[in-house]
Amino acid sequence: QLQLVESGGGLVQPGESLRLSCTASGSLDKYAIGWFRQAPGNEREGIACVSSSGGSTRYVDSVKGRFTISRHFGKNTVYLQMNNLKPDDTSVYYCGAFELGWCGATMADPWGQGTQVTVSP
């Protein structure tokens, strides 16, 4: 029954920044949260994960050093700060909650509608 809502996307130029939000009506504290993206014609790609404890993060190489995932305990929100955006970052971005303390195969929520990020000159 957990439902996540993504927001914060938009149209930006290369080099600019966006912060995406992943919000839920209930607590996310017991879940690892991952950010994913899917561009037309591509598979959905996991790009970032923050552990349920908030103590560990990992990123796919293509975004490492540019994107930062964070969570705010006491709030039902996880963020993805995206800096130095590139045209290849253009995708629909989704978040997902995972049961085992780290992003993996078991999701606690269905995929939401995502939020569109477009990076274009």
Side-chain angles (χ1 to χ4, degrees):
Q1 301 86 359
L2 181 66
Q3 184 174 348
L4 305 182
V5 178
E6 302 91 346
S7 63
L11 173 63
V12 298
Q13 296 181 354
E16 295 183 344
S17 298
L18 284 172
R19 188 178 74 165
L20 306 184
S21 296
C22 174
T23 61
S25 59
S27 176
L28 295 175
D29 290 354
K30 69 178 182 180
Y31 303 109
I33 306 296
W35 280 98
F36 302 77
R37 65 186 183 187
Q38 186 171 23
N42 293 338
E43 298 291 327
R44 197 188 307 266
E45 175 191 27
I47 58 171
C49 183
V50 59
S51 64
S52 57
S53 70
S56 297
T57 58
R58 290 201 296 187
Y59 304 90
V60 70
D61 286 346
S62 60
V63 309
K64 189 175 182 180
R66 298 188 298 119
F67 291 10
T68 302
I69 187 171
S70 62
R71 63 190 308 156
H72 293 253
F73 293 100
K75 299 177 65 176
N76 300 324
T77 303
V78 175
Y79 302 101
L80 184 68
Q81 178 68 43
M82 305 186 296
N83 296 330
N84 191 24
L85 283 161
K86 305 177 183 299
D88 285 348
D89 296 320
T90 297
S91 283
V92 179
Y93 284 72
Y94 305 86
C95 58
F98 295 86
E99 297 274 7
L100 300 179
W102 188 249
C103 302
T106 303
M107 289 185 64
D109 69 299
W111 295 113
Q113 66 178 2
T115 185
Q116 176 72 48
V117 172
T118 302
V119 185
S120 176

